Amino acid sequence: MTEQDIFSKLRDVLSDSFQLDPESIHLDSHLFKDLDLDSIDAVELAIQLQEFTGRRVSAQEFKDVRTVGDVVATLQKMLS
């Protein structure tokens, strides 16, 4: 999958799961500051990403994730 494919899927997950406007989601969007996600939302996002990748998302993989772009990069590593 390309970065754009992953970003597109992630934008769908974020907009569907957290009622966000897809147009407000960009690679540089900060998950907590810009998109107003909280720690409970982060857990829900991890669950959604597990379903998407078919792999368990570890806390270690996500400890430095802050932006949508960080999530995309982490997913690219997981899928490669």
Side-chain angles (χ1 to χ4, degrees), residues 7 13-14 21 23 25 27 29 34-35 38-39 42 44 46 56 66 73 76 80:
F7 174 65
V13 167
L14 288 168
D21 176 9
E23 297 301 314
I25 302 168
L27 286 172
S29 297
D34 298 328
L35 302 181
D38 59 26
S39 58
E44 175 63 26
R56 185 176 185 283
R66 300 288 179 263
Q76 273 188 305
S80 64

Side-chain angles (χ1 to χ4, degrees), residues 2 5-6 8 10 12 23 35-36 40 43 46 52-53 56 58 61-62 67-69:
T2 68
D5 293 337
I6 294 170
S8 179
L10 180 58
D12 291 344
E23 297 301 314
L35 302 181
D36 291 326
I40 302 289
V43 171
F52 171 59
T53 63
R56 185 176 185 283
S58 74
E61 289 172 306
F62 262 68
T67 67
V68 171

Side-chain angles (χ1 to χ4, degrees), residues 4-66:
Q4 188 58 42
D5 293 337
I6 294 170
F7 174 65
S8 179
K9 175 64 176 170
L10 180 58
R11 185 179 358 201
D12 291 344
V13 167
L14 288 168
S15 66
D16 292 345
S17 298
F18 306 107
Q19 292 75 47
L20 297 171
D21 176 9
E23 297 301 314
S24 71
I25 302 168
H26 307 281
L27 286 172
D28 63 347
S29 297
H30 192 280
L31 296 171
F32 305 108
K33 294 176 186 173
D34 298 328
L35 302 181
D36 291 326
L37 300 185
D38 59 26
S39 58
I40 302 289
D41 295 331
V43 171
E44 175 63 26
L45 178 59
I47 292 167
Q48 297 279 339
L49 296 177
Q50 283 178 204
E51 292 172 8
F52 171 59
T53 63
R55 294 187 51 215
R56 185 176 185 283
V57 177
S58 74
Q60 185 65 28
E61 289 172 306
F62 262 68
K63 76 178 182 87
D64 294 325
V65 168
R66 300 288 179 263

